[in-house]
Amino acid sequence: MAYQTISPYTNETIKTYDFSDQADIEKALSTGHELYKKWRNGPLDQRIDILHKIASLFREREDELATIAVKDMGKLFKEAKGEVELCALIADYFADHGAEMLKPTTLKTIATGEAEVLKHSTGVIFAVEPWNFPYYQIMRVFAPNFIVGNPMVLKGPSNTPGSSDVFGKIVLEAGAPEGSFTNLFLNYDQASAIVADPRVQGVALTGSERGGRAIAKAAGENLKKNTMELGGTDAFIVLDDTDIDQVADIAWRTRLYNAGQVCTSSKRFIVADSLYDEFLTRLKDKFAAVKAGDPMDASTTLAPMNSKRAKEKLQQQVDDAIKAGATLYYGNEPIDLPGQFFQPTILTDISKGNPAYSTEMFGPVASVYKVHSDQEAIDLANDSHYGLGGIVFSGDPDRGAKVASQIETGMVFVNNFMSSLPELPFGGVKASGYGREMSQLGIMAFVNEELIVKAQKPDLSNPAGGLVAL
Ligand code: NAP
C-alpha cells in the first residue's frame, strides 16, 4: 500500500511518500551494522545524553508532533499530546535506568571460578509498527534498544508516514549518529528481505494477528529472535460488589479512548447479573454523550476512525454480529460528518457461535455479557484465543486481584484503567503474541546474555565430576 497521509477527518490526501529503494535499505543496514560494532563494547554515556535530548525535543515540540499524528490518523489532539508526553517519559526512563539494567549479573555456581552474565547488544533490530499510536509504538522499541546499543530500522505503518518521518528527524536532531534509527517506507517483500538479512538480529512487530503471523514466519525461517505484540479482546470484569458510579465513569473511557482503536481497549464487558442492567444504562448514557467533530477541537470527545477501510471493516463486523443474533442495544447509526466516524455501539446477547464472540473489533463497539458468578466471569474471559490485557472491578481489591490472577492474559489492572508506563512490562499470551516490551523485561528482548566464567587455573575437582565436555 502507498505511504500516504489521508486525513480521516477531512478525507483529504495531504501527502504521499515514495517507497524506499534498495540503496536506501542497504544504507540503513550497513550504517546500522557498523554502528552496532562500534557501540558494542563502547561506553553508554553519550547515548544516555542523546536519549534525554530526544525526550526534551518531544516535549518542546509536543503541539507540532501531536498535530502531525492527528493529520495522519485522526486521533484527538489532546490524546495525541498525551502520547507525545508518554514518549518523552519512556525516553527519559531508559536513559535514567538503562545502564543499571544492563549491568553484569554475578551467578553463584559450583563451577571453578567466578561466573557472570554480561549484557551485550546483538545487532540491528527491525521493527514493524502500527498506526494507532504512531510515536509511542516506535518509542517502545527504540528507547531501550538505543541504550542497549542495537540500531533500529523501522517499517512504519503506511497510513501514518508523517509521524514515522518526524520521529527519525528528531532522533538525528538530538545528535544520534546516522544509522541509530532509520525509517524506511517498505513494501511487504522488502520487509521480508530485511528480516532475512544477516545483519538484522532481532525483529519486533506490533500489529494484527495476520501481520504478526507473516513476520513471525519470516523471522522463524531465518532464526531471528522476535517479539510479537498483537491484538486482543480484553475483558473488563465487573464483580457484584463494584461501586457502579466508579465503574460507569471508567468503563466508557476504556472503550472509546483513541476511538476504540487500542490493543488493550476493553472489548468485552463481563458484568455480574445484579449490576448488568444498571451498567448497560450507564454505558449507553456515556456513549450517547460523546461529541463527534474536529479532532483538533478541545470540545470534541469522539475522534474519527483512522481510515475509511477501518470503518468499513468495523461496520461489516457489527452487521455480521447482528445477523448472527446479537442484540443492538445502542448505536450503529450513521454520523452526519464527512470523516470516518463510527457511532459508539453496544452489543449484547452474543452467543458463542457469533463471530463477535471471538474476533477483535478495533473501534468504538462494546460487547456486554451477563454472568452469575466470579467463576463464570473468569471462564468467559478465558474463552478467547487472545490474552493481552484486562481490567477487574470489585469493591474489594484483593478479591479483584484474585480474579485477575486467574485470567490467562499478560496484564490485568484492578479497579483502574490499563496504563502503559515504561517501568511496567507490556505484552500478552496466546494469539496476542509473546515477549514483553518496556521495563527490565523489555530491555532484555534483544540482549545477548553472555556467560563468562573466569578461573585462575583449570581445576577438574568440582562435585559434578569435573565434566568438561557436554
Ligand atoms: P497490521 O495490519 O498488522 O499492521 C501493523 C504493521 O505491520 C504495519 O506497519 C503494517 O504495514 C505491517 N504489516 C502487516 N502485514 C505485513 C506483512 N505481511 N509484511 C510486512 N509488514 C506487514 O495491524 P494494524 O491493523 O495496523 O494494527 C491494529 C492491530 O494491532 C490490532 O489488532 C491491535 O490490537 C494490534 N496492536 C497491538 C498492540 C500490542 O502492543 N499488543 C499495540 C497496538 C496495536 P502496512 O501499514 O504497510 O500494512
Side-chain angles (χ1 to χ4, degrees):
M1 243 194 316
Y3 283 78
Q4 279 184 327
T5 292
I6 302 174
S7 160
Y9 176 58
T10 63
N11 300 321
E12 175 200 358
T13 300
I14 294 173
K15 189 165 174 183
T16 300
Y17 296 75
D18 291 335
F19 278 95
S20 304
D21 61 19
Q22 193 47 41
D24 299 325
I25 295 173
E26 180 50 35
K27 188 171 171 219
L29 293 174
S30 56
T31 51
H33 185 61
E34 284 310 311
L35 196 56
Y36 152 67
K37 287 200 282 187
K38 194 167 138 201
W39 276 350
R40 188 176 183 276
N41 295 314
L44 273 177
D45 310 14
Q46 209 194 2
R47 295 207 293 285
I48 291 172
D49 293 343
I50 294 169
L51 200 50
H52 276 309
K53 176 73 182 161
I54 291 170
S56 306
L57 287 172
F58 265 77
R59 290 200 174 95
E60 278 164 28
R61 293 169 60 178
E62 185 173 294
D63 283 6
E64 175 204 340
L65 292 173
T67 306
I68 293 170
V70 172
K71 283 190 181 144
D72 267 348
M73 54 71 71
K75 67 170 57 191
L76 299 181
F77 181 61
K78 55 179 175 271
E79 291 181 356
K81 280 165 68 83
E83 179 181 343
V84 174
E85 172 56 24
L86 177 57
C87 287
L89 281 177
I90 295 170
D92 275 340
Y93 178 81
F94 286 103
D96 285 336
H97 302 286
E100 182 67 30
M101 292 170 169
L102 296 172
K103 277 197 172 146
T105 41
T106 304
L107 301 180
K108 278 194 180 149
T109 172
I110 59 169
T112 302
E114 296 159 21
E116 64 174 3
V117 174
L118 308 183
K119 320 282 168 60
H120 287 301
S121 52
T122 51
V124 176
I125 303 306
F126 180 46
V128 181
E129 299 298 327
W131 45 265
N132 62 342
F133 293 95
Y135 301 119
Y136 153 81
Q137 301 289 3
I138 302 173
M139 189 62 93
R140 262 184 7 186
V141 182
F142 171 74
N145 281 295
F146 185 70
I147 288 297
V148 167
N150 291 328
M152 174 170 160
V153 172
L154 172 73
K155 184 225 167 294
S158 49
N159 59 332
T160 56
S163 308
S164 308
D165 184 48
V166 74
F167 193 109
K169 289 183 174 142
I170 285 185
V171 172
L172 289 181
E173 194 181 321
E178 205 188 352
S180 310
F181 173 91
T182 310
N183 169 49
L184 296 174
F185 295 128
L186 302 167
N187 63 37
Y188 290 179
D189 289 341
Q190 291 171 316
S192 296
I194 291 178
V195 172
D197 191 286
R199 291 165 290 192
V200 170
Q201 285 303 314
V203 179
L205 178 137
T206 296
S208 63
E209 194 183 334
R210 178 190 52 81
R213 285 186 194 279
I215 289 291
K217 184 174 175 212
E221 279 170 359
N222 290 285
L223 296 179
K224 299 292 169 72
K225 192 173 183 196
N226 62 91
T227 54
M228 291 287 141
E229 298 282 352
L230 309 177
T233 52
D234 286 3
F236 183 124
I237 296 178
V238 182
L239 300 181
D240 58 11
D241 60 354
T242 298
D243 176 337
I244 192 74
D245 293 329
Q246 231 178 46
V247 80
D249 197 33
I250 298 249
W252 71 279
R253 300 172 201 270
T254 69
R255 193 64 196 99
L256 299 190
Y257 173 68
N258 213 35
Q261 305 164 114
V262 185
C263 51
T264 52
S265 290
S266 298
K267 290 165 191 146
R268 296 178 297 150
F269 293 89
I270 299 174
V271 186
D273 49 3
S274 58
L275 295 176
Y276 180 80
D277 291 340
E278 182 67 14
F279 180 85
L280 269 176
T281 308
R282 301 283 195 108
L283 191 65
K284 182 181 81 176
D285 291 348
K286 293 291 189 185
F287 275 20
V290 296
K291 179 174 169 275
D294 182 349
M296 294 299 293
D297 182 336
S299 70
T300 301
T301 51
L302 181 72
M305 293 187 66
N306 75 91
S307 65
K308 185 165 179 282
R309 199 164 64 116
K311 180 184 163 180
E312 286 171 355
K313 181 177 173 191
L314 187 64
Q315 186 63 65
Q316 188 64 54
Q317 288 178 307
V318 170
D319 293 348
D320 290 348
I322 295 168
K323 221 179 283 165
T327 301
L328 173 66
Y329 180 81
Y330 175 75
N332 197 28
E333 294 286 341
I335 290 183
D336 190 19
L337 284 169
Q340 303 306 321
F341 290 93
F342 198 100
Q343 189 190 24
T345 292
I346 302 173
L347 298 174
T348 59
D349 305 313
I350 299 166
S351 60
K352 197 168 160 64
N354 193 311
Y357 186 86
S358 49
T359 47
E360 180 184 36
M361 289 203 251
F362 212 56
V365 177
S367 303
V368 187
Y369 297 83
K370 185 196 283 189
V371 287
H372 306 90
S373 68
D374 291 8
Q375 192 56 51
E376 195 184 336
I378 294 163
D379 292 343
L380 181 53
N382 288 341
D383 193 16
S384 166
H385 81 297
Y386 290 114
L388 188 58
I391 294 176
V392 179
F393 260 80
S394 169
D396 172 1
D398 291 336
R399 179 180 171 207
K402 197 168 157 215
V403 168
S405 73
Q406 294 171 76
I407 299 175
E408 296 160 359
T409 181
M411 313 164 265
V412 186
F413 280 57
V414 176
N415 289 349
N416 210 348
F417 303 102
M418 283 214 55
S419 335
S420 178
L421 291 167
E423 64 275 22
L424 303 179
F426 195 103
V429 295
K430 303 201 256 185
S432 294
Y434 44 81
R436 293 291 181 270
E437 289 182 351
M438 308 238 268
S439 80
Q440 171 78 41
L441 296 181
I443 200 172
M444 300 308 288
F446 301 109
V447 162
N448 174 16
E449 290 164 276
E450 185 188 12
L451 171 68
I452 305 285
V453 182
K454 184 176 65 185
Q456 294 300 325
K457 57 183 173 109
D459 173 5
L460 302 185
S461 66
N462 78 48
L467 279 178
V468 286
L470 298 172

